[in-house]
Amino acid sequence: MTRHHLAEGSPRSPQWFDPAHQADILAAFDSQLAAGLHDRSPHSPRPERVRELGQLAAASALPARAALLRWGALPGSVRAHLLTTWYGTPIARSTAA
């Protein structure tokens, strides 16, 4: 079994133990629930999965785990928005061959 250190993760990933990132993820998750789960796109989890992850997060005593669970319930566009908010615009990769 290989274990990765959290600090060695992608430079553009949530910092699970950062209270500010946890709060942003919670706010995005709550906004998603408030808006309703009926507008599902191919890049969004199924509504029942969103509810399940939300229940698991609410029951978790570990804030970092709760943030990770809520992160999994967010659509890709919301994740991208949060990453851009935290780290700025991603560097465009050259497509030249």
Side-chain angles (χ1 to χ4, degrees), residues 19-91:
H21 282 205
Q22 293 169 3
D24 289 347
I25 292 168
L26 176 60
F29 181 80
D30 287 345
S31 293
Q32 180 185 5
L33 288 181
L37 300 175
H38 54 278
D39 295 333
R40 184 174 183 271
S41 74
H43 304 289
S44 300
R46 295 181 322 275
E48 60 273 13
R49 183 68 176 147
V50 171
R51 285 188 283 276
E52 178 185 19
L53 289 169
Q55 290 169 350
L56 290 170
S60 178
L62 304 170
R65 182 172 189 273
L68 175 62
L69 290 165
R70 289 182 181 109
W71 182 259
L74 295 174
S77 60
V78 175
R79 291 180 188 189
H81 173 74
L82 287 173
L83 290 171
T84 300
T85 300
W86 295 327
Y87 301 112
T89 305
I91 298 171

Side-chain angles (χ1 to χ4, degrees), residues 92-97:
R93 295 180 185 207
S94 174
T95 57

